[in-house]
Amino acid sequence: MFTILDLVQPDNLAEAYQILSDKRNNTILGGCAFLKMGKKRINTGVDLTKLKLNYIQETDGFIEIGAMTSLRDIETHPLLTEHYNGVLPQSLRDIIGVQFRNGVTVGASVYSKYGFSDLITALLSLDTEVELFKAGRMPLADFLSKPKEKDLLVRLWIKKTKRQASYLSFRNSASDYAVLNVAVSMLNNRWTIAVGARPSKAAIAISASALLSLEGATSETIEEAAKRTSEELSFGTNTRGTATYRKALCRALVKRGIMEVLACKSN
Amino acid sequence: MENVGQSIRKIDGMAIAMGKPVYTEDLAMPNALVVKILRSPHAFAKITSIDISKAESLEGVECILTFKDVPNARFTLAGQSYPEPSPYDRLILDQIVRYVGDEVAIIAAVDEKTALLAMKRIKVEYEVMEPVLDFEQAVGHPSVVHPEEDLSCNFEIGLQKENNITSSSHEEVGDVDEEFKRCAVVVEDVYYPQAQAHTMMETYRAFTYLDHAGRLIAVSSTQVPFHIKRQLARALQIPASKIRVIKPRIGGGFGGKQTGAGDVFAGLVTLKTGKPAMIIYDRKETFSATTSRHAMRLKVKLGADQEGFIRAIDMQVLSDTGAYGEHAPTVLGCVGHYTLPLYNKTRAVRFDGKAVYTNKMPAGAFRGYGATQGTFALESTVNMLAEQLKMDPTEIRLKNISKVGETFLTGPGVMLGSSSLDRCIAKGKELIGWEEKFPRREVGYNKVRAVGMAITMQGSGIANIGTASAEIRLNDDGNFTLLTGATDMGTGCDTILSQMAAEILEVPMEKIIVHAGDTDTSPYDPGSYASSTTYVAGGAVVKAAEELKNKILAQSAAILGVAPQDVEFDGLAVRTLSGDQEISFAKLAELTILGTGKLQLVGYATQGCEVSPPPYIAGFAEVEVDRETGKVDLIDYVAVIDCGTVINPNLARIQAEGGIAQGIGMALYEQVRYDEIGKMATNSFMQYKIPSRKDVGKVRIAFEESYEPTGPFGAKSIGEVVANTPPPAISHAIYNAVGVRENHLPITPEKVFLGMQKL
Amino acid sequence: MQIELTINDKAVKWEVANDEFLADTLRSHGFLSVKKACDTSCCGLCTVWMDGKSMLSCSVLSLRAHGKKITTIEGLPKEAEEFAQILSAEGAEQCGFCSPGFIMSVLAMKNELVNPTEEEIIHYLTGNLCRCTGYMGQLRAIKIYLGVA
């Protein structure tokens, strides 16, 4: 049974971090939708409500998203519906329902590095940085690959650009976790292909992205990039799909993703 | 008609929609003990020691009960009429645990936190045994799921416990093998419909207490209050007269609540402590420690002559009943009973089936009750046959279906009283656009659309077993009270039974008070299952209302001093045909009940059913399949229904749409799965996906009324038949789209994809 | 710990535990329209409003309701009844157990979306599961309610 012995609402990040570090089972409380499903016995729950981290704003050429911002706010905020072809809202729309997305926070979603995450895959296709209280600011890809250390995710920084992007997920049923998800983006003919729910966490297909960037998107290179993505990334098996199927889906979805980006470009 | 045939809203509709406190948990006493169950982590094990001392000593713990504390009388949780055909194979708590989730100890405490803490402190040691997990390996498995000597059955059901066979069934008419030899075309295949979870929104729950007379009162979210009463009496070994079961509003059942769940545990706690006790199964327990639909393997072989007449059917069934045999023999039997009579041009028919014990969660009653599995197998094979014969699938049905006045091989002498199935098929073809769409059309890049179809039947009540009684009183104020044991679980039977009573009594609905689902006051009714309520309980209500009407006419005539044939109902009064005299119901009540009348007028009737007239459906699916990914989108589903006379069109439509959606879930999304040690892997809505509103596409319902001579106002049933057509119709559409015939349900995108790879 | 909140326009002070969730707090204070059905934050039955936004009350820590305005169906008798009448006339409440949470979502949608299309309606309400109706009757009721039938 989920228990919280003590609960604090610190006034500043340093205090929050201090409490978090005090004991192994002290935990930051996000939206709690996922947390409550576990049997976790939390010593001190750290509630960041007082830190005013619930916001989306534009700062110095970046879109800044506070850790306590809900997924639903990202989904509906004009800055995010109007940039990158609304790839972030698109990535969130199939997650359970509105009332769920009203509660779940972006900080918990990214910090947890869930393999099934829709949001991380979409963020990875953009120029996203993660700001951690202790480890500081770093590209999302670096954050994903670094070993898990206790830290406090403060905010996300997404470079504001004219990047075109598209997000596709494949689900066995509409509100299920994705069997596979794909985000493709392009800025100044430089391409990024990110694939998540493999079922391990999202990763960028570096070689395939480079191929498109170098040779441009033609029907041959699109096919080749899709194929190469499915070859350079690893896929696993879980109850939602086998590795073989994910590999095949990856090829189909990457191809469609690239085509969608090309289609937005011509609009 | 003023009431029957009208879309009258449910009499409880506003209260339940607005969240009024009318469900079991809402009504429980706030001081009720919280009952929790410690469950087995092993699929098959013997408890060698159980230490409750550290749990018992916890403050707030009221009692902890183990197998040492329960009566030694085996019983069944199946809610069936006595004598139940299901084996008496369980104890409230047993020393042997037979599936992951089987009950080990009952904990009652002042609150949930204490109960859960106490649970952690119970120390159990098990001798773990090799479980039987694959139902196809159950017969002859070295492990015997039920080795106990005191397992018993009320009937010879073909139980062979040493072979893990719960029940067997064999029926054969004509020489099947000989007949196949004579057939021009013979097709056969093997089908695996899966275990499906009911997932009613209100999980299983009950609260119990002792009343002023020391009787055990169980308020239970059940479809079968009278059966729960009998179950409690046997399991707890107390007289049935000491038990009262009350059914409040129910948050859905779908057959799940035709099997007992927590009642015996809460009841035992109340008996041991004398205190009110409440048990609520959480969603995980509801998924993993109640019942599911029986998973089956069905082999079907069909033979037809050159003209397309089906001459021989052979059906062999293996049914996985899990750790206990609730509904095992009857669900098995219904696989054949509710499919084989569809086609009666046969010369030979054989049905052979076994239900087997395994170390998994028990299977139980689930809307469709075997017909769902049987329909998937039979109808898929009929679609194969049509293809072999190069006949349109709708044509082969029209050529072979049973018609009114005809009999069928496995039901000698029983004549079909009503059917509009031929019209259902024709109407469905038109609505789906069969002529233009069959079999497939390309619709752009890698996408193809196709249609498929299937037909189905069910019963209405259980022939020669089903019964229901109803009582209608003229009250002292001139209103009426309808007393019924029928169990409204959201389906609206309180409303439609009132509609029928109002129709006969020629009064507005609001003049009728319904009191239902209370074993102390309701006339006997087995409960809401087997598609019985409209047909059987409705029949009882009609008879009771007619009896009361005649009594009112006779009594009024006597008071008015005229002959009974000279009076008629008029509004809320009886008047003479000449119109010169009348007496209101209120006055009549006053004169008969109050003062010196000494005669409260009551209509009472018991309805039995000698036949179980089948409702029919022709179901049509249109799907779009993505050739690159195997993704199937359901575009359109049309179901045309013959349920006889439609008593309440809106309620019937909702029943149908909901049943179709469950069938869609079975066809495409849902599956109860276990891991390699027999632990359920699908114990939440995150892992077991019922259709969301994005998954059902468009479902369209049409009615083609027939008139069933034995039914109330010509009505038959609708509750179950609606679940059956989606698996075969959708499977057929997928086959027509991409050539993949997937016989293992659900048909997931990956299966379609792999199927396409193999073509 | 004590929280101060507004429940259906009434200011209250409630004592809650650290790990208590709002659905349980609401039920314990008699707001029995709030139903729980999944334990995994995905069925929508416990939907209430927090500062006007629909939330899964089963997953909101009660102390996060401090200083907030909570609305349950008991607090919207007029608006909810208007829609419930239509829903019930369609027969689309069926067992009714999911109805209060569903109605809270429908009313939130009406406040949030202007002239939604059928697709937008379905999308907005995907988080509300129903096992009885197959959703078609609910959609018919919503269309009548919004005047887009």
Side-chain angles (χ1 to χ4, degrees):
Chain A
M1 175 174 185
F2 170 77
T3 47
I4 304 175
L5 298 180
D6 197 10
L7 191 129
V8 290
Q9 295 183 316
D11 295 313
N12 60 67
L13 283 166
E15 191 191 340
Y17 181 76
Q18 187 54 50
I19 301 164
L20 182 65
S21 317
D22 277 348
K23 272 205 176 121
R24 200 178 50 82
N25 52 353
N26 289 1
T27 304
I28 302 282
L29 305 175
C32 292
F34 282 101
L35 210 54
K36 70 164 282 213
M37 292 179 217
K39 289 187 173 167
K40 199 162 177 167
R41 195 171 155 84
I42 294 171
N43 193 63
T44 301
V46 185
D47 181 11
L48 306 181
T49 309
K50 287 188 177 166
L51 301 187
K52 303 200 164 39
L53 289 174
N54 178 3
Y55 66 88
I56 298 168
Q57 68 188 29
E58 203 179 323
T59 316
D60 304 330
F62 282 87
I63 297 172
E64 192 189 331
I65 306 174
M68 291 300 284
T69 306
S70 76
L71 299 188
R72 180 71 179 161
D73 283 342
I74 295 181
E75 197 182 346
T76 53
H77 198 283
L79 267 177
L80 297 168
T81 53
E82 287 161 15
H83 284 85
Y84 328 114
N85 315 102
V87 72
L88 293 185
Q90 184 62 30
S91 74
L92 298 171
R93 58 180 277 121
D94 288 327
I95 304 174
I96 312 287
V98 170
Q99 56 276 67
F100 181 86
R101 301 194 294 276
N102 269 332
V104 174
T105 61
V106 65
S109 301
V110 174
Y111 186 79
S112 306
K113 300 184 188 178
Y114 292 122
F116 56 75
S117 175
D118 295 286
L119 179 62
I120 289 176
T121 306
L123 285 169
L124 203 51
S125 75
L126 305 178
D127 311 285
T128 306
E129 291 171 63
V130 173
E131 184 185 328
L132 299 159
F133 176 76
K134 176 121 187 297
R137 196 161 147 173
M138 68 185 75
L140 173 62
D142 294 356
F143 169 71
L144 291 176
S145 58
K146 105 185 172 62
K148 217 164 186 177
E149 279 168 49
K150 216 165 195 187
D151 207 331
L152 210 159
L153 196 154
V154 185
R155 56 183 70 84
L156 300 178
W157 299 88
I158 308 169
K159 198 166 190 184
K160 199 178 152 215
T161 61
K162 298 248 177 258
R163 193 174 277 277
Q164 308 282 358
S166 107
Y167 175 87
L168 293 166
S169 73
F170 189 90
R171 292 169 140 81
N172 286 330
S173 67
S175 62
D176 196 4
Y177 293 111
V179 182
L180 192 90
N181 57 39
V182 167
V184 179
S185 77
M186 191 264 288
L187 178 68
N188 303 327
N189 293 316
R190 303 284 304 170
W191 290 79
T192 305
I193 300 168
V195 184
R198 300 176 294 114
S200 57
K201 64 183 180 249
I204 292 173
I206 295 167
S207 167
S209 303
L211 171 89
L212 275 185
S213 304
L214 283 173
E215 299 187 18
T218 65
S219 50
E220 290 81 35
T221 58
I222 293 170
E223 284 288 349
E224 180 55 27
K227 183 161 171 276
R228 199 177 284 185
T229 305
S230 74
E231 285 163 357
E232 72 176 282
L233 296 176
S234 64
F235 299 93
T237 296
N238 67 1
T239 56
R240 287 176 172 73
T242 62
T244 317
Y245 183 51
R246 285 194 159 94
K247 189 171 175 174
L249 280 179
C250 175
R251 201 167 158 178
L253 262 56
V254 167
K255 194 168 66 183
R256 290 177 194 186
I258 299 169
M259 309 281 265
E260 278 192 11
V261 170
L262 290 173
C264 353
K265 193 186 164 194
S266 59
N267 279 343
Chain B
M1 287 185 280
E2 297 274 319
N3 292 292
V4 165
Q6 305 301 315
S7 288
I8 291 166
R9 76 173 63 203
K10 259 149 53 85
I11 56 179
D12 53 353
M14 286 305 288
I16 60 177
M18 292 294 287
K20 300 297 181 216
V22 290
Y23 298 88
T24 304
E25 186 188 4
D26 306 333
L27 302 173
M29 294 145 181
N31 65 340
L33 296 172
V34 173
V35 180
K36 291 280 168 189
I37 306 292
L38 173 66
R39 297 181 179 281
S40 168
H42 304 294
F44 196 28
K46 188 173 179 183
I47 298 170
T48 52
S49 83
I50 183 159
D51 178 4
I52 59 170
S53 56
K54 289 208 169 66
E56 247 179 343
S57 61
L58 204 63
E59 192 181 328
V61 171
E62 194 70 29
C63 73
I64 292 178
L65 306 170
T66 71
F67 68 89
K68 296 164 192 159
D69 305 305
V70 303
N72 191 27
R74 290 193 184 269
F75 65 104
T76 177
L77 285 172
Q80 298 180 298
S81 292
Y82 183 80
E84 305 95 331
S86 298
Y88 291 163
D89 58 6
R90 66 162 77 228
L91 295 169
I92 297 176
L93 297 171
D94 203 340
Q95 191 171 3
I96 294 178
V97 284
R98 295 182 176 79
Y99 72 100
V100 177
D102 210 350
E103 295 84 6
V104 171
I106 305 166
I107 301 127
V110 291
D111 57 32
E112 188 178 6
K113 264 198 165 157
T114 310
L116 292 174
L117 196 57
M119 190 189 293
K120 275 191 183 169
R121 294 189 179 191
I122 299 174
K123 293 281 168 278
V124 190
E125 280 172 39
Y126 298 93
E127 177 195 328
V128 178
M129 299 183 279
E130 177 67 27
V132 183
L133 296 178
D134 179 350
F135 78 110
E136 295 185 86
Q137 303 295 325
V139 179
H141 195 284
S143 291
V144 174
V145 179
H146 281 275
E148 68 272 14
E149 289 301 316
D150 55 346
L151 181 156
S152 66
C153 303
N154 288 316
F155 299 100
E156 177 48 62
I157 58 170
L159 182 137
Q160 300 171 37
K161 65 183 182 189
E162 62 285 358
N163 281 324
N164 290 319
I165 296 171
T166 319
S167 74
S168 326
S169 170
H170 186 87
E171 198 173 2
E172 193 167 355
V173 183
D175 188 334
V176 174
D177 297 320
E178 229 9 78
E179 199 56 44
F180 277 126
K181 285 183 197 156
R182 282 197 281 270
C183 286
V185 180
V186 175
V187 292
E188 64 177 303
D189 216 339
V190 186
Y191 303 87
Y192 287 85
Q194 78 280 44
Q196 184 183 23
H198 308 83
T199 71
M200 66 297 283
M201 285 295 134
E202 183 199 34
T203 58
Y204 298 83
R205 53 198 60 197
F207 84 92
T208 50
Y209 60 96
L210 299 177
D211 74 357
H212 57 277
R215 294 170 74 225
L216 178 69
I217 315 298
V219 178
S220 177
S221 180
T222 180
Q223 294 171 227
V224 286
F226 283 93
H227 296 334
I228 295 293
K229 183 178 73 167
R230 181 163 25 83
Q231 228 165 63
L232 285 170
R234 182 174 172 90
L236 300 170
Q237 292 287 293
I238 59 172
S241 62
K242 293 280 184 198
I243 302 170
R244 174 185 183 187
V245 178
I246 299 169
K247 175 222 68 105
R249 294 297 99 190
I250 302 296
F254 315 115
K257 291 173 183 171
Q258 193 198 339
T259 303
D263 314 87
V264 287
F265 308 119
L268 187 62
V269 166
T270 292
L271 288 186
K272 295 269 183 190
T273 64
K275 295 184 178 179
M278 170 88 177
I279 188 163
I280 297 182
Y281 279 32
D282 63 20
R283 183 56 67 185
K284 187 174 157 192
E285 288 176 297
T286 297
F287 269 117
S288 60
T290 58
T291 55
S292 68
R293 193 187 287 289
H294 290 78
M296 291 185 190
R297 179 191 70 200
L298 303 98
K299 294 182 186 173
V300 178
K301 188 170 173 183
L302 288 182
D305 63 17
Q306 207 70 56
E307 293 107 278
F309 288 107
I310 299 170
R311 296 306 189 189
I313 304 178
D314 186 24
M315 198 182 255
Q316 294 175 39
V317 183
L318 186 72
S319 172
D320 183 354
T321 196
Y324 298 96
E326 273 88 18
H327 303 277
T330 35
V331 166
L332 178 64
C334 287
V335 173
H337 292 162
Y338 293 148
T339 53
L340 298 173
L342 275 171
Y343 303 111
N344 70 346
K345 311 300 175 273
T346 46
R347 292 177 175 144
V349 172
R350 181 167 59 202
F351 177 89
D352 190 81
K354 283 184 179 54
V356 292
Y357 282 124
T358 57
N359 291 109
K360 290 183 287 183
M361 183 175 82
F366 192 141
R367 190 184 216 169
Y369 207 80
T372 314
Q373 295 94 322
T375 302
F376 172 57
L378 177 64
E379 285 299 282
S380 294
T381 316
V382 172
N383 284 328
M384 275 174 77
L385 182 66
E387 192 185 32
Q388 288 275 308
L389 287 162
K390 299 191 170 52
M391 279 178 81
D392 186 291
T394 60
E395 290 308 313
I396 195 168
R397 265 87 180 189
L398 288 169
K399 196 158 194 163
N400 284 283
I401 54 174
S402 306
K403 305 257 166 53
V404 174
E406 295 178 352
T407 58
F408 55 94
L409 273 192
T410 49
V414 176
M415 268 205 319
L416 186 59
S418 62
S419 169
S420 62
L421 182 55
D422 52 344
R423 282 188 279 133
C424 293
I425 294 170
K427 178 82 172 177
K429 275 179 85 169
E430 180 195 320
L431 287 172
I432 199 86
W434 186 263
E435 298 296 345
E436 310 86 73
K437 293 175 179 171
F438 178 77
R440 85 187 62 79
R441 297 166 299 149
E442 297 295 326
V443 286
Y445 179 72
N446 272 322
K447 297 274 177 79
V448 58
R449 283 191 182 191
V451 288
M453 64 92 58
I455 60 171
T456 189
M457 62 175 279
Q458 195 85 31
S460 303
I462 309 172
N464 302 313
I465 292 176
T467 179
S469 298
E471 178 178 333
I472 309 176
R473 299 177 193 145
L474 174 61
N475 294 331
D476 57 326
D477 49 18
N479 292 304
F480 298 88
T481 295
L482 165 61
L483 294 159
T484 165
T487 311
D488 197 332
M489 52 174 148
T491 45
C493 69
D494 285 354
T495 306
I496 61 144
L497 295 176
S498 308
Q499 280 178 258
M500 292 186 197
E503 191 65 45
I504 302 285
L505 294 168
E506 300 174 37
V507 297
M509 286 267 293
E510 59 269 20
K511 291 281 164 195
I512 296 175
I513 299 152
V514 189
H515 184 84
D518 180 337
T519 59
D520 266 11
T521 55
S522 303
Y524 180 78
D525 190 298
S528 284
Y529 65 91
S531 293
S532 302
T533 304
T534 301
Y535 179 74
V536 190
V541 167
V542 167
K543 277 190 190 168
E546 277 168 349
E547 184 182 291
L548 178 58
K549 184 177 178 181
N550 287 334
K551 285 184 179 176
I552 290 172
L553 286 172
Q555 195 60 35
S556 301
I559 290 169
L560 296 174
V562 297
Q565 62 269 27
D566 291 333
V567 289
E568 63 180 4
F569 273 41
D570 180 36
L572 298 172
V574 173
R575 62 165 196 178
T576 53
L577 293 180
S578 57
D580 53 359
Q581 283 193 83
E582 74 167 40
I583 178 166
S584 69
F585 291 159
K587 188 71 187 169
L588 177 66
E590 183 192 322
L591 294 178
T592 51
I593 303 168
L594 307 173
T596 57
K598 295 177 190 165
L599 181 68
Q600 178 160 18
L601 299 179
V602 177
Y604 193 96
T606 298
Q607 172 81 350
C609 52
E610 282 130 38
V611 291
S612 176
Y616 292 104
I617 294 186
F620 294 79
E622 182 178 9
V623 300
E624 182 174 297
V625 184
D626 184 327
R627 282 213 176 91
E628 258 185 339
T629 63
K631 179 91 176 115
V632 176
D633 285 315
L634 184 61
I635 303 299
D636 194 8
Y637 200 94
V638 168
V640 186
I641 303 172
D642 163 20
C643 58
T645 300
V646 182
I647 303 291
N648 183 320
N650 275 0
L651 297 185
R653 172 172 287 109
I654 287 286
Q655 274 276 71
E657 289 168 343
I660 299 286
Q662 270 178 340
I664 292 170
M666 189 170 169
L668 295 174
Y669 308 116
E670 301 176 31
Q671 183 174 24
V672 174
R673 277 185 287 103
Y674 295 84
D675 68 10
E676 60 287 349
I677 63 154
K679 183 168 176 279
M680 192 180 288
T682 49
N683 59 16
S684 78
F685 281 128
M686 302 296 249
Q687 305 302 335
Y688 185 95
K689 299 306 288 185
I690 64 168
S692 75
R693 67 191 70 228
K694 279 184 189 161
D695 296 308
V696 292
K698 184 166 72 172
V699 177
R700 293 188 288 158
I701 306 296
F703 293 100
E704 276 294 328
E705 287 192 319
S706 65
Y707 189 92
E708 169 54 40
T710 64
F713 302 96
K716 299 187 278 189
S717 79
I718 190 162
E720 293 185 273
V721 69
V722 289
N724 301 341
T725 59
I730 291 170
S731 164
H732 187 213
I734 293 168
Y735 173 75
N736 288 334
V738 292
V740 175
R741 183 172 270 130
E742 179 53 61
N743 291 348
H744 288 74
L745 296 178
I747 308 174
T748 60
E750 180 162 3
K751 289 180 191 170
V752 178
F753 177 83
L754 286 175
M756 289 189 292
Q757 302 288 97
K758 285 185 198 145
L759 290 176
Chain C
M1 138 181 231
Q2 196 183 58
I3 55 168
E4 293 179 26
L5 68 154
T6 308
I7 169 78
N8 297 335
D9 292 328
K10 193 178 155 204
V12 294
K13 287 180 191 174
W14 286 343
E15 198 59 42
V16 298
N18 289 330
D19 44 16
E20 187 172 330
F21 286 97
L22 186 56
D24 300 314
T25 310
L26 288 168
R27 282 196 66 90
S28 72
H29 285 90
F31 298 92
L32 297 177
S33 71
V34 181
K35 305 288 196 281
K36 295 199 298 178
C38 72
D39 310 318
T40 49
S41 317
C42 58
C43 74
L45 267 76
C46 66
T47 302
V48 303
W49 294 354
M50 185 186 264
D51 287 345
K53 279 187 184 168
S54 59
M55 297 285 275
L56 296 167
S57 63
C58 76
S59 305
V60 175
L61 285 173
S62 299
L63 51 93
R64 288 233 170 110
H66 178 71
K68 306 278 187 188
K69 192 171 176 278
I70 303 296
T71 312
T72 69
I73 200 169
E74 285 94 343
L76 298 167
K78 206 167 137 274
E79 299 88 328
E81 194 172 316
E82 185 192 350
F83 177 65
Q85 289 280 2
I86 300 167
L87 188 71
S88 177
E90 278 298 326
E93 77 283 28
Q94 260 245 38
C95 86
F97 206 70
C98 75
S99 298
F102 171 67
I103 292 174
M104 290 307 285
S105 287
V106 170
L107 298 182
M109 176 182 75
K110 193 178 182 227
N111 291 339
E112 198 173 328
L113 306 183
V114 183
N115 297 325
T117 61
E118 182 172 313
E119 200 189 336
E120 286 166 339
I121 293 169
I122 290 170
H123 177 64
Y124 194 96
L125 299 169
T126 303
N128 287 91
L129 295 179
C130 168
R131 188 59 154 170
C132 289
T133 67
Y135 306 109
M136 296 292 135
Q138 294 183 344
L139 184 62
R140 285 193 294 275
I142 291 166
K143 286 176 162 182
I144 294 167
Y145 177 58
L146 298 177
V148 297

